[in-house]
Amino acid sequence: MFRFIIRRLLFGILVLWLVTTTVFCLLHISPTPVEKMIAGPRASAATVALIRHNLGLDRPFLVQYWSFLKDTFTGDLGYSYVTQAKVSSIIADRLPATLWLVLGAAVLWFVGGITTGVLSATKARSLLDRTSTGFVLLGLSIPPFLMALLLPFLFIHEIGITWFQTGQYVSPFEDPTLFLQRMILPWLALAFLIVATYTRLTRGSMMDVLGEDYIRTARAKGLSERRVIYRHGLRAALTPIVTQFGVDIGALIGSTIVTEKVFGLQGIGQLVYNSIVKGDTPVILGVTLLTALFVVVANLIVDIGYSFLDPRVRVD
Amino acid sequence: MSLLEVTDLKVSFNTSDGVVQAVRGMTFSIDRGKTLGIVGESGSGKSVSTQTLMGLTPGAKVSGQALFEGQDLLSMTPDQLRRIRGPQISMIFQDPLSSLHPLYKVGWQIVEMIRAHEPNVSKADARKRAVELLGMVGIPQPDRRVDDYPHQFSGGMRQRAMIAMALALNPKLIIADEPTTALDATVQAQILDLMLRLQREFDTALIMITHDLGVIADLADDVLVMYAGKPVEQTDRRSLYYRSHHPYSAGLLRSIPSGAGGRGGRLIPIPGQPPSLISPPSGCSFHPRCPYVMDTCRVDEPPLREVAAGHGSACWLPKDALGLGPEAEQLRESAVAEGRTEVGA
């Protein structure tokens, strides 16, 4: 088990290195040099050269790359070209909003997806199954921006629940009520886009499992139907779902741009958007690294968690 | 009163291809402590019939009566039937690897069954009983193996664990559905011996479902041969082996290696395929494969009638054409040649 984790960790580091190197190279072949963007269109050649020098961009490519790698390894992600602030503190500032957004939505879509999935698997072709299949289709087909626009309109303007708010992220430790007021709609919007996948995944997995011989055994043992479905069926059906769940959460950090933008949450997604528009290379690199880190860590957790979920793949 | 009395059991399923008549009228009974062998090819309705009795065939259309200690299993509510499953009637299935839950420890699965029906038993006591049971079915170091997962057991050990589970609540009847088919030949004999020993020890009635006449040769008191969802021959074990009447039973006997077909002789397979249960053949459903087929067989369905005391057979051949011997063979051949059936005789 220990060797397995070490191997996965080393592999994860390799992935991170490849990701950052790729992004670093891509940004260096960008058509508008960054020093020109900072200096503005009417700056003199001397100013541009000075900025270029200050940013260390006049050094040879490999030297830049090496110092970038060394700094990254020690946790120093450099300074923003635009605000001159430390990239690590910019990210640390923005991360909570995105983390709360993703985690809250994740709970909703996980619980919602599994509940509807199990119900439609055990009552296949019933009205409930058909209704949830319809919702699944709706969730899959609505574009994220529309969903994010639709929910506040529906809940606040049409239904008139004025308790809900839209606005900037507030830490739950400062004002828990306001936090909920502002986060519930973004959670719903994000979860509704993804819950469909989990309903389908759960339904399929459950229907496979419920046809297994050990489910017949569980019934032959005289267990209650609820125990057969949840303790025996869902327990076995859960493995692929949890795997997907880990990967999805990891991948979602850094790709919630639309939801954040529409709801005005100052998270990582917005940060990425602004940085790309302004050509703020160090921040883009920092966020990319962070996103890759989350994906790698999520995969690692899934791999390790898998061996706890399924004793057959347990590595000794 | 018999322990279980099944009368005219019929089971059918609606499918997109049509109505599958899986069981088309089955009558049998089994007494306490006795063993009934149900034999037939796959698709003959032998598994469906017993699983239907236990309420394990959702979506099936069922008619008939199945009195277990005087109570009709087929008219029970799902919850009443659930209380029967385990403490009264338990089951052993064909493939022990897929029949045990892969994600739970073997002991846990036995404990779960005990506590589902006896909620007052503590976890520790139930576990103790699980260890005892595993020891009884011959699993070495049961106090350690109780915490193993099914994949850590060998095939034979898994089936032993299934047997332990089936015995956990001391049921009056065990239904074993091809319990040795998925096992190695050497292990098969061990498992059969074990089942026989425990059956005597616990005084349990046993229904042994198999496609292999060899399996029930020294196990069953009575044998029921199924074909296309119907019993075609029903008798005690000795009569079936030495004085079988139905050509299908005879075909099964001839296809046992080194069995009644003669030592060292060739195995004689039954030609053809089992019939479709959506549209079974007219008359006797075995007639397309029968070597003694007569005109009557294609039109009239033979009833299960007594050919000797306590020996029923659903075949138009003369009653005294019993067994695989040359005399019986001559009787059969002359009957076919003259087109003579019992109806006219």
Side-chain angles (χ1 to χ4, degrees), chain B residues 49-103:
Chain B
S49 58
T50 49
Q51 285 183 21
T52 300
L53 298 183
M54 301 281 284
L56 296 178
T57 46
K61 271 170 63 185
V62 184
S63 71
Q65 198 182 44
L67 296 178
F68 179 76
E69 296 194 305
Q71 286 180 293
D72 188 6
L73 295 173
L74 300 180
S75 57
M76 279 186 185
T77 65
D79 201 52
Q80 285 173 318
L81 204 54
R82 184 180 70 73
R83 284 169 218 277
I84 299 272
R85 295 198 291 257
Q88 305 289 332
I89 308 177
S90 64
M91 295 189 87
I92 300 169
F93 296 105
Q94 175 171 346
D95 184 352
L97 179 60
S98 61
S99 297
L100 287 164
H101 200 295
L103 306 180

Side-chain angles (χ1 to χ4, degrees), chain B residues 3 12 34 139 143 161 200 219 226 242 251 298 307 313 321 344:
Chain B
L3 179 66
S12 60
K34 294 288 186 192
I139 286 180
D143 50 331
R200 288 196 185 123
L219 206 71
M226 294 278 290
Y242 299 108
R298 298 181 226 271
V307 291
S313 170

Side-chain angles (χ1 to χ4, degrees), chain A residues 4-249:
Chain A
F4 167 75
I5 294 175
I6 294 291
R7 215 169 42 226
R8 299 295 315 195
L9 269 176
L10 288 176
F11 183 71
I13 291 171
L14 180 75
V15 170
L16 288 179
W17 173 72
L18 281 174
V19 168
T20 43
T21 305
T22 311
V23 176
F24 186 82
C25 294
L26 279 177
L27 288 172
H28 264 264
I29 52 171
S30 123
T32 352
V34 88
E35 56 272 20
K36 276 199 183 141
M37 259 161 57
I38 294 174
R42 263 174 278 172
S44 66
T47 318
V48 174
L50 185 68
I51 293 173
R52 197 173 148 78
H53 179 72
N54 286 345
L55 294 177
L57 295 175
D58 50 353
R59 296 174 296 169
F61 177 79
L62 279 179
V63 175
Q64 286 187 48
Y65 176 63
W66 177 244
S67 81
F68 161 75
L69 267 192
K70 217 167 53 187
D71 290 347
T72 305
F73 196 71
T74 54
D76 178 5
L77 296 171
Y79 294 87
S80 160
Y81 288 166
V82 180
T83 63
Q84 313 298 323
K86 279 185 95 162
V87 171
S88 48
S89 57
I90 296 179
I91 290 178
D93 202 37
R94 298 298 195 98
L95 192 56
T98 301
L99 276 184
W100 280 114
L101 173 64
V102 170
L103 288 180
V107 171
L108 285 183
W109 90 59
F110 190 72
V111 173
I114 286 181
T115 313
T116 49
V118 169
L119 284 176
S120 62
T122 49
K123 299 185 168 51
R125 291 182 201 179
S126 64
L127 183 68
L128 190 105
D129 181 23
R130 284 173 209 274
T131 316
S132 74
T133 313
F135 266 102
V136 163
L137 222 61
L138 201 67
L140 282 177
S141 12
I142 294 184
F145 77 91
L146 188 61
M147 181 70 73
L149 289 172
L150 219 59
L151 280 186
F153 177 75
L154 185 74
F155 280 99
I156 300 175
H157 297 282
E158 290 297 305
I159 303 181
I161 309 174
T162 45
W163 187 78
F164 288 135
Q165 288 191 6
T166 53
Q168 282 201 15
Y169 164 78
V170 177
S171 161
F173 305 107
E174 281 169 23
D175 190 341
T177 319
L178 192 63
F179 168 76
L180 286 178
Q181 283 176 307
R182 291 197 176 162
M183 291 305 277
I184 287 181
L185 287 182
W187 283 340
L188 284 174
L190 191 57
F192 196 63
L193 298 172
I194 301 170
V195 71
T197 321
Y198 282 74
T199 303
R200 293 219 302 200
L201 198 64
T202 308
R203 183 176 187 268
S205 183
M206 269 306 267
M207 286 178 85
D208 285 348
V209 166
L210 289 179
E212 291 283 350
D213 286 350
Y214 52 80
I215 297 298
R216 184 182 58 187
T217 308
R219 291 210 170 95
K221 280 159 81 174
L223 305 179
S224 68
E225 191 59 20
R226 223 180 56 202
R227 201 177 166 90
V228 170
I229 289 187
Y230 289 97
R231 205 65 197 263
H232 287 250
L234 184 58
R235 173 65 181 80
L238 214 51
T239 318
I241 303 166
V242 169
T243 310
Q244 180 76 28
F245 187 59
V247 175
D248 278 353
I249 287 187

